[in-house]
Coordinates of all heavy atoms in Angstrom, one line a residue:
Chain B
A85 N 33.8 26.6 -29.2 CA 35.3 27.0 -29.2 C 35.8 27.4 -27.7 O 36.7 27.1 -27.2 CB 35.6 28.2 -30.1
V86 N 34.7 27.9 -27.0 CA 34.9 28.3 -25.6 C 35.2 27.0 -24.8 O 36.1 27.0 -24.0 CB 33.7 29.1 -24.9 CG1 33.9 29.2 -23.5 CG2 33.6 30.5 -25.6
V87 N 34.4 26.0 -25.1 CA 34.6 24.6 -24.4 C 36.0 24.2 -24.8 O 36.7 23.6 -23.8 CB 33.6 23.7 -24.8 CG1 33.8 22.3 -24.3 CG2 32.2 24.1 -24.4
M88 N 36.4 24.3 -26.0 CA 37.8 23.9 -26.3 C 38.9 24.6 -25.5 O 39.8 24.1 -25.1 CB 38.1 24.2 -27.8 CG 37.3 23.3 -28.8 SD 37.9 21.6 -28.6 CE 36.4 20.8 -29.0
G89 N 38.6 25.9 -25.4 CA 39.5 26.8 -24.5 C 39.7 26.2 -23.2 O 40.7 26.1 -22.5
M90 N 38.5 25.9 -22.6 CA 38.4 25.3 -21.3 C 39.1 24.0 -21.1 O 40.0 23.7 -20.2 CB 36.9 25.0 -20.8 CG 36.1 26.2 -20.6 SD 34.4 25.9 -20.2 CE 34.5 25.2 -18.6
L91 N 39.0 23.1 -22.1 CA 39.7 21.8 -22.1 C 41.3 22.1 -22.3 O 42.0 21.3 -21.6 CB 39.2 21.0 -23.3 CG 37.7 20.4 -23.2 CD1 37.3 19.7 -24.5 CD2 37.6 19.6 -21.9
A92 N 41.6 23.0 -23.0 CA 43.0 23.4 -23.1 C 43.6 23.8 -21.8 O 44.7 23.4 -21.5 CB 43.3 24.5 -24.3
G93 N 42.9 24.6 -21.1 CA 43.3 25.1 -19.8 C 43.4 23.9 -18.9 O 44.4 23.7 -18.2
A94 N 42.5 22.9 -19.0 CA 42.5 21.7 -18.1 C 43.7 20.8 -18.5 O 44.3 20.2 -17.7 CB 41.2 20.9 -18.3
A95 N 44.0 20.8 -19.8 CA 45.2 20.1 -20.3 C 46.5 20.4 -19.7 O 47.2 19.6 -19.2 CB 45.3 20.1 -21.8
L96 N 46.6 21.9 -19.5 CA 47.8 22.4 -18.9 C 47.8 22.1 -17.5 O 48.8 21.7 -16.9 CB 47.9 23.9 -19.3 CG 49.3 24.5 -19.2 CD1 50.1 23.9 -20.4 CD2 49.2 26.0 -19.4
A97 N 46.6 22.2 -16.9 CA 46.4 21.8 -15.5 C 46.9 20.4 -15.3 O 47.4 20.1 -14.1 CB 45.0 22.2 -15.0
G98 N 46.5 19.5 -16.3 CA 46.9 18.1 -16.2 C 48.3 17.9 -16.0 O 48.8 17.2 -15.1
V99 N 49.2 18.8 -16.8 CA 50.5 18.7 -16.6 C 51.0 19.1 -15.2 O 51.8 18.5 -14.5 CB 51.3 19.6 -17.6 CG1 52.8 19.6 -17.5 CG2 50.8 19.1 -19.1
H100 N 50.4 20.2 -14.8 CA 50.7 20.7 -13.3 C 50.3 19.5 -12.3 O 51.1 19.3 -11.5 CB 49.8 21.8 -13.1 CG 50.0 22.6 -11.8 ND1 51.4 22.8 -11.4 CD2 49.3 23.0 -10.7 CE1 51.3 23.4 -10.2 NE2 50.0 23.5 -9.8
G101 N 49.1 18.9 -12.5 CA 48.7 17.8 -11.6 C 49.7 16.6 -11.7 O 50.1 16.0 -10.7
F102 N 50.2 16.2 -12.9 CA 51.1 15.2 -13.0 C 52.3 15.4 -12.3 O 52.9 14.6 -11.5 CB 51.4 14.9 -14.5 CG 52.4 14.0 -14.8 CD1 52.0 12.5 -14.8 CD2 53.7 14.1 -15.1 CE1 53.0 11.5 -15.0 CE2 54.6 13.2 -15.5 CZ 54.2 11.8 -15.4
L103 N 52.8 16.6 -12.5 CA 54.1 16.9 -11.8 C 54.0 17.1 -10.3 O 54.7 16.5 -9.5 CB 54.8 18.2 -12.4 CG 55.3 17.9 -13.8 CD1 55.9 19.4 -14.4 CD2 56.5 17.0 -13.7
S104 N 52.9 17.8 -9.9 CA 52.9 18.2 -8.5 C 52.1 17.1 -7.6 O 52.3 17.0 -6.3 CB 52.3 19.6 -8.3 OG 51.0 19.6 -8.8
I105 N 51.1 16.5 -8.2 CA 50.4 15.4 -7.4 C 51.0 14.1 -7.6 O 51.4 13.4 -6.5 CB 49.0 15.4 -7.7 CG1 48.3 16.8 -7.6 CG2 48.3 14.3 -6.9 CD1 47.0 16.8 -8.3
R106 N 51.2 13.7 -8.8 CA 51.7 12.3 -9.0 C 53.2 12.2 -8.6 O 53.6 11.2 -8.0 CB 51.6 12.0 -10.5 CG 52.4 10.7 -11.1 CD 51.7 9.4 -10.6 NE 52.5 8.2 -11.0 CZ 53.5 7.8 -10.4 NH1 54.1 8.5 -9.4 NH2 54.3 6.8 -10.8
W107 N 54.1 13.3 -9.0 CA 55.5 13.1 -8.7 C 55.9 14.1 -7.5 O 57.1 14.2 -7.3 CB 56.2 13.5 -10.0 CG 56.2 12.3 -10.9 CD1 55.4 12.1 -12.0 CD2 56.9 11.2 -10.8 NE1 55.5 10.9 -12.6 CE2 56.5 10.2 -11.8 CE3 57.8 10.6 -9.9 CZ2 57.0 8.9 -12.0 CZ3 58.4 9.3 -10.1 CH2 58.0 8.5 -11.2
R108 N 55.0 14.7 -6.9 CA 55.2 15.6 -5.7 C 56.3 16.6 -6.0 O 57.2 17.0 -5.1 CB 55.7 14.7 -4.6 CG 54.7 13.6 -4.2 CD 54.9 13.1 -2.8 NE 56.1 12.3 -2.7 CZ 56.2 11.0 -3.0 NH1 55.0 10.3 -3.4 NH2 57.3 10.4 -2.9
S109 N 56.3 17.2 -7.2 CA 57.3 18.2 -7.4 C 56.9 19.5 -6.8 O 55.6 19.6 -6.2 CB 57.4 18.6 -9.0 OG 57.7 17.4 -9.7
D110 N 57.8 20.5 -6.7 CA 57.5 21.7 -6.1 C 56.4 22.4 -7.0 O 56.5 22.6 -8.1 CB 58.7 22.7 -6.0 CG 58.5 23.9 -5.3 OD1 57.6 24.6 -5.6 OD2 59.2 24.1 -4.3
Q111 N 55.3 22.8 -6.3 CA 54.0 23.3 -7.1 C 54.4 24.7 -7.7 O 53.8 25.0 -8.6 CB 53.0 23.4 -6.1 CG 52.5 22.0 -5.6 CD 51.6 22.0 -4.4 OE1 51.2 23.0 -4.0 NE2 51.2 20.8 -3.9
V112 N 55.2 25.5 -7.0 CA 55.5 26.9 -7.5 C 56.3 26.7 -8.7 O 56.1 27.3 -9.8 CB 56.2 27.6 -6.4 CG1 56.5 29.0 -7.0 CG2 55.3 27.8 -5.2
V113 N 57.3 25.8 -8.7 CA 58.3 25.6 -9.9 C 57.3 25.2 -11.1 O 57.4 25.6 -12.2 CB 59.3 24.5 -9.6 CG1 60.1 24.3 -10.8 CG2 60.1 25.0 -8.3
S114 N 56.5 24.1 -10.9 CA 55.7 23.5 -12.0 C 54.9 24.6 -12.5 O 54.8 24.8 -13.7 CB 55.0 22.4 -11.4 OG 53.8 22.2 -12.1
G115 N 54.2 25.5 -11.7 CA 53.4 26.6 -12.2 C 54.1 27.6 -12.8 O 53.7 28.0 -14.0
I116 N 55.2 28.0 -12.4 CA 56.0 29.1 -13.1 C 56.5 28.4 -14.4 O 56.5 29.1 -15.4 CB 57.3 29.4 -12.3 CG1 56.8 30.1 -11.0 CG2 58.2 30.2 -13.1 CD1 56.8 31.5 -11.0
A117 N 56.9 27.2 -14.4 CA 57.3 26.6 -15.8 C 56.2 26.7 -16.8 O 56.5 27.0 -17.9 CB 57.9 25.1 -15.5
L118 N 55.0 26.3 -16.3 CA 53.9 26.4 -17.2 C 53.6 27.7 -17.8 O 53.3 27.9 -19.0 CB 52.6 25.8 -16.6 CG 52.7 24.3 -16.3 CD1 51.5 23.8 -15.6 CD2 52.9 23.4 -17.6
N119 N 53.7 28.8 -16.9 CA 53.6 30.2 -17.3 C 54.7 30.5 -18.3 O 54.2 31.0 -19.4 CB 53.8 31.0 -16.2 CG 52.6 31.0 -15.2 OD1 51.5 30.6 -15.6 ND2 52.8 31.6 -14.0
L120 N 55.8 30.1 -18.2 CA 56.9 30.4 -19.2 C 56.7 29.7 -20.5 O 56.8 30.3 -21.5 CB 58.3 30.1 -18.7 CG 58.8 30.8 -17.5 CD1 60.2 30.2 -17.0 CD2 59.1 32.3 -17.9
V121 N 56.3 28.4 -20.4 CA 56.0 27.7 -21.6 C 54.8 28.3 -22.3 O 54.8 28.4 -23.6 CB 55.8 26.2 -21.3 CG1 55.2 25.4 -22.6 CG2 57.0 25.5 -20.8
A122 N 53.8 28.6 -21.6 CA 52.5 29.1 -22.3 C 52.8 30.6 -22.9 O 52.4 30.8 -23.9 CB 51.5 29.2 -21.3
L123 N 53.7 31.4 -22.2 CA 54.1 32.7 -22.7 C 54.8 32.5 -24.1 O 54.5 33.1 -25.1 CB 54.8 33.4 -21.7 CG 55.3 34.9 -22.0 CD1 53.8 35.6 -22.0 CD2 56.2 35.4 -21.1
A124 N 55.9 31.7 -23.9 CA 56.8 31.6 -25.2 C 56.1 30.8 -26.2 O 56.2 31.1 -27.4 CB 58.1 31.1 -24.7
G125 N 55.5 29.8 -25.9 CA 54.9 28.8 -26.9 C 53.6 29.6 -27.6 O 53.6 29.5 -28.8
G126 N 53.0 30.4 -26.9 CA 51.9 31.1 -27.4 C 52.4 32.1 -28.5 O 51.9 32.1 -29.5
T127 N 53.4 32.9 -28.0 CA 54.0 33.8 -29.0 C 54.6 33.0 -30.3 O 54.3 33.4 -31.4 CB 55.2 34.5 -28.3 OG1 54.8 35.0 -27.2 CG2 55.8 35.6 -29.2
F128 N 55.3 31.9 -30.0 CA 55.8 31.1 -31.2 C 54.8 30.7 -32.1 O 54.8 30.9 -33.3 CB 56.7 29.9 -30.6 CG 57.1 29.0 -31.7 CD1 58.0 29.4 -32.7 CD2 56.4 27.8 -31.8 CE1 58.4 28.5 -33.7 CE2 56.8 26.9 -32.9 CZ 57.9 27.3 -33.8
L129 N 53.7 30.0 -31.6 CA 52.7 29.5 -32.4 C 51.9 30.6 -33.2 O 51.6 30.5 -34.4 CB 51.6 28.7 -31.5 CG 52.1 27.3 -31.2 CD1 51.2 26.6 -30.4 CD2 52.5 26.5 -32.3
L130 N 51.7 31.7 -32.4 CA 50.9 32.8 -33.0 C 51.7 33.4 -34.3 O 51.1 33.6 -35.3 CB 50.7 33.9 -31.9 CG 49.8 35.1 -32.4 CD1 48.5 34.7 -32.7 CD2 49.9 36.3 -31.4
E131 N 53.1 33.6 -34.0 CA 53.8 34.2 -35.1 C 53.9 33.3 -36.2 O 53.9 33.7 -37.4 CB 55.2 34.5 -34.4 CG 55.2 35.6 -33.3 CD 55.5 37.0 -33.8 OE1 55.8 37.1 -34.9 OE2 55.3 37.8 -33.0
S132 N 54.1 32.0 -35.9 CA 54.4 31.2 -37.1 C 53.1 30.7 -37.8 O 53.1 30.4 -38.9 CB 55.1 29.9 -36.6 OG 54.5 29.2 -35.7
L133 N 51.9 30.9 -37.2 CA 50.7 30.5 -37.8 C 50.0 31.7 -38.3 O 49.4 31.7 -39.4 CB 49.8 29.7 -36.9 CG 50.3 28.4 -36.3 CD1 49.4 27.8 -35.3 CD2 50.7 27.4 -37.6
Y134 N 50.0 32.9 -37.5 CA 49.1 33.9 -38.1 C 49.9 35.3 -38.1 O 49.2 36.3 -38.5 CB 48.0 34.1 -37.0 CG 47.1 32.8 -36.9 CD1 47.3 32.1 -35.7 CD2 46.2 32.5 -37.9 CE1 46.5 30.9 -35.6 CE2 45.4 31.4 -37.7 CZ 45.5 30.5 -36.6 OH 44.9 29.5 -36.4
G135 N 51.0 35.5 -37.6 CA 51.7 36.7 -37.6 C 51.6 37.5 -36.3 O 50.7 37.0 -35.5
P136 N 52.3 38.6 -36.2 CA 52.3 39.2 -34.9 C 51.1 39.9 -34.5 O 50.9 40.3 -33.3 CB 53.5 40.2 -35.1 CG 53.5 40.5 -36.5 CD 53.1 39.1 -37.3
N137 N 50.1 40.2 -35.3 CA 49.0 41.1 -35.0 C 47.8 40.3 -34.4 O 46.7 40.7 -34.3 CB 48.5 41.8 -36.1 CG 49.5 42.8 -36.6 OD1 50.2 43.3 -35.9 ND2 49.6 42.9 -38.0
G138 N 48.0 39.0 -34.0 CA 46.9 38.3 -33.4 C 46.3 37.4 -34.5 O 46.5 37.4 -35.7
T139 N 45.4 36.4 -34.0 CA 44.6 35.6 -34.9 C 43.6 36.5 -35.7 O 43.3 37.6 -35.3 CB 43.9 34.6 -34.1 OG1 43.0 35.2 -33.2 CG2 44.8 33.6 -33.3
P140 N 43.1 35.9 -36.8 CA 42.1 36.6 -37.6 C 40.8 36.9 -36.7 O 40.6 36.1 -35.7 CB 41.7 35.7 -38.7 CG 42.9 34.8 -38.8 CD 43.5 34.7 -37.4
P141 N 40.1 38.0 -36.9 CA 39.0 38.1 -36.1 C 37.9 36.9 -36.2 O 37.8 36.3 -37.2 CB 38.3 39.5 -36.6 CG 38.9 39.7 -37.9 CD 40.3 38.9 -37.9
I142 N 37.2 36.8 -35.0 CA 36.2 35.6 -35.0 C 34.9 36.2 -34.7 O 34.7 37.4 -34.2 CB 36.7 34.6 -33.9 CG1 36.9 35.3 -32.6 CG2 37.8 33.9 -34.5 CD1 37.0 34.4 -31.5
Q143 N 34.0 35.3 -34.6 CA 32.5 35.7 -34.2 C 32.5 35.8 -32.7 O 32.8 34.8 -32.1 CB 31.6 34.6 -34.9 CG 30.1 34.8 -34.5 CD 29.5 35.9 -35.4 OE1 29.6 35.8 -36.6 NE2 28.7 36.7 -34.7
Q144 N 32.2 36.9 -32.2 CA 32.0 37.0 -30.7 C 30.9 36.2 -30.2 O 29.9 36.0 -30.9 CB 31.9 38.5 -30.4 CG 33.3 39.2 -30.3 CD 33.1 40.5 -29.5 OE1 32.1 41.2 -29.7 NE2 34.1 40.8 -28.8
L145 N 30.9 35.9 -28.9 CA 29.7 35.3 -28.2 C 28.5 36.3 -28.4 O 28.6 37.4 -28.4 CB 30.0 35.0 -26.8 CG 30.9 33.8 -26.5 CD1 31.2 33.7 -25.0 CD2 30.4 32.5 -26.9
T146 N 27.3 35.7 -28.5 CA 26.1 36.6 -28.8 C 25.9 37.4 -27.3 O 26.1 36.8 -26.3 CB 24.9 35.7 -29.1 OG1 25.3 34.5 -29.6 CG2 24.0 36.4 -29.9
R147 N 25.5 38.6 -27.5 CA 25.1 39.3 -26.4 C 23.6 39.2 -26.0 O 22.8 39.2 -27.1 CB 25.5 40.7 -26.4 CG 26.9 41.0 -26.4 CD 27.4 42.3 -26.8 NE 28.9 42.5 -26.5 CZ 29.5 42.8 -25.4 NH1 28.7 43.0 -24.4 NH2 30.8 42.9 -25.3
W148 N 23.2 39.0 -24.9 CA 21.8 38.8 -24.5 C 21.2 40.0 -24.1 O 21.6 40.6 -23.2 CB 21.7 37.7 -23.4 CG 22.1 36.4 -23.8 CD1 22.4 36.0 -25.1 CD2 22.1 35.2 -23.0 NE1 22.8 34.6 -25.1 CE2 22.6 34.2 -23.8 CE3 22.0 34.9 -21.6 CZ2 22.8 32.8 -23.3 CZ3 22.1 33.7 -21.1 CH2 22.6 32.6 -22.0
N149 N 20.1 40.4 -24.8 CA 19.4 41.6 -24.2 C 18.1 41.1 -23.4 O 17.3 40.3 -23.8 CB 18.7 42.3 -25.4 CG 19.8 43.4 -25.9 OD1 20.3 44.1 -25.1 ND2 20.1 43.5 -27.2
L150 N 18.2 41.4 -22.1 CA 17.1 41.1 -21.2 C 15.9 42.0 -21.4 O 16.0 43.2 -21.1 CB 17.6 41.2 -19.7 CG 18.9 40.4 -19.4 CD1 19.2 40.4 -17.9 CD2 18.8 38.9 -20.0
P151 N 14.8 41.5 -22.0 CA 13.8 42.4 -22.3 C 13.2 43.0 -21.0 O 13.2 42.4 -19.9 CB 12.7 41.4 -22.9 CG 13.2 40.1 -22.6 CD 14.6 40.1 -22.2
G152 N 12.8 44.3 -21.1 CA 12.2 45.0 -19.9 C 13.3 45.5 -19.1 O 13.1 46.8 -18.6
L153 N 14.5 44.9 -18.9 CA 15.5 45.3 -17.9 C 16.2 46.5 -18.7 O 16.7 47.5 -17.9 CB 16.5 44.3 -17.6 CG 17.3 44.5 -16.3 CD1 16.3 44.7 -15.1 CD2 18.2 43.3 -16.0
S154 N 16.4 46.4 -19.9 CA 17.3 47.4 -20.7 C 16.8 48.8 -20.4 O 17.6 49.7 -20.5 CB 17.4 47.0 -22.1 OG 16.7 45.8 -22.4
A155 N 15.5 49.0 -20.3 CA 15.0 50.4 -20.1 C 15.0 51.0 -18.7 O 15.1 52.1 -18.6 CB 13.5 50.3 -20.4
V156 N 15.3 50.2 -17.7 CA 15.4 50.7 -16.3 C 16.8 51.4 -16.2 O 17.9 50.8 -16.7 CB 15.4 49.4 -15.3 CG1 15.5 49.9 -13.9 CG2 14.2 48.6 -15.6

Side-chain angles (χ1 to χ4, degrees):
Chain B
V86 171
V87 175
M88 288 297 151
M90 292 174 71
L91 291 177
L96 205 64
V99 179
H100 186 49
F102 176 75
L103 288 174
S104 61
I105 303 171
R106 169 71 181 81
W107 286 98
R108 302 195 294 273
S109 302
D110 190 305
Q111 295 163 4
V112 178
V113 178
S114 156
I116 296 270
L118 290 178
N119 284 344
L120 290 177
V121 170
L123 186 67
T127 309
F128 169 70
L129 286 177
L130 182 68
E131 298 263 351
S132 54
L133 299 176
Y134 303 103
N137 296 324
T139 57
I142 53 168
Q143 179 79 45
Q144 278 194 319
L145 287 175
T146 338
R147 290 174 175 268
W148 293 353
N149 272 313
L150 306 182
L153 201 60
S154 359
V156 185

